[in-house]
Amino acid sequence: MNIYRSMLLGVLCIGISACASTSQNTAAENKLASSCEKGIEIAYKELDFAKTTGFGGSWEYTKAASLLGTAKVQSGFGAYAGCIDKVSTARAYIEESKK
């Protein structure tokens, strides 16, 4: 009986340690996450402005909206580098839609 308790205790300790170590973000990850979220916020404002000024039906606008949706999903999964890349590309498309 003591062997089973010892094994159970060991498994629980390993599980708790694994969970604790994955919940801590590094400063670099926090910076990427912040940059991603700010970029999404700014890009959506630019996208809304483009729509109100009559550029909402352009092909570039549609690509930008799709990229921002993808960036938001990547942000949710912690893929911040991909998120930042998508936001940058989306903002370029938004600029193109205004020309």
Side-chain angles (χ1 to χ4, degrees):
M1 191 65 120
N2 283 337
I3 294 174
Y4 293 118
R5 285 185 183 171
S6 297
M7 288 175 49
L8 180 60
L9 183 60
V11 169
L12 288 174
C13 287
I14 290 170
I16 291 171
S17 297
C19 289
S21 67
T22 58
S23 66
Q24 298 173 355
N25 289 337
T26 64
E29 287 175 11
N30 288 337
K31 188 174 180 179
L32 284 173
S34 176
S35 179
C36 171
E37 291 300 322
K38 286 179 185 175
I40 289 172
E41 182 181 333
I42 291 168
Y44 269 118
K45 286 180 183 178
E46 291 174 351
L47 194 67
D48 288 341
F49 181 75
K51 185 176 182 179
T52 60
T53 55
F55 297 103
S58 72
W59 178 242
E60 289 84 5
Y61 177 91
T62 304
K63 289 190 281 187
S66 176
L67 283 167
L68 288 177
T70 304
K72 191 74 170 162
V73 170
Q74 286 183 323
S75 171
F77 286 109
Y80 303 119
C83 169
I84 292 167
D85 182 52
K86 299 283 187 298
V87 167
S88 176
T89 305
R91 291 183 75 190
Y93 281 131
I94 293 166
E95 279 301 311
E96 282 293 315
S97 75
K98 295 176 185 177
K99 294 181 180 178

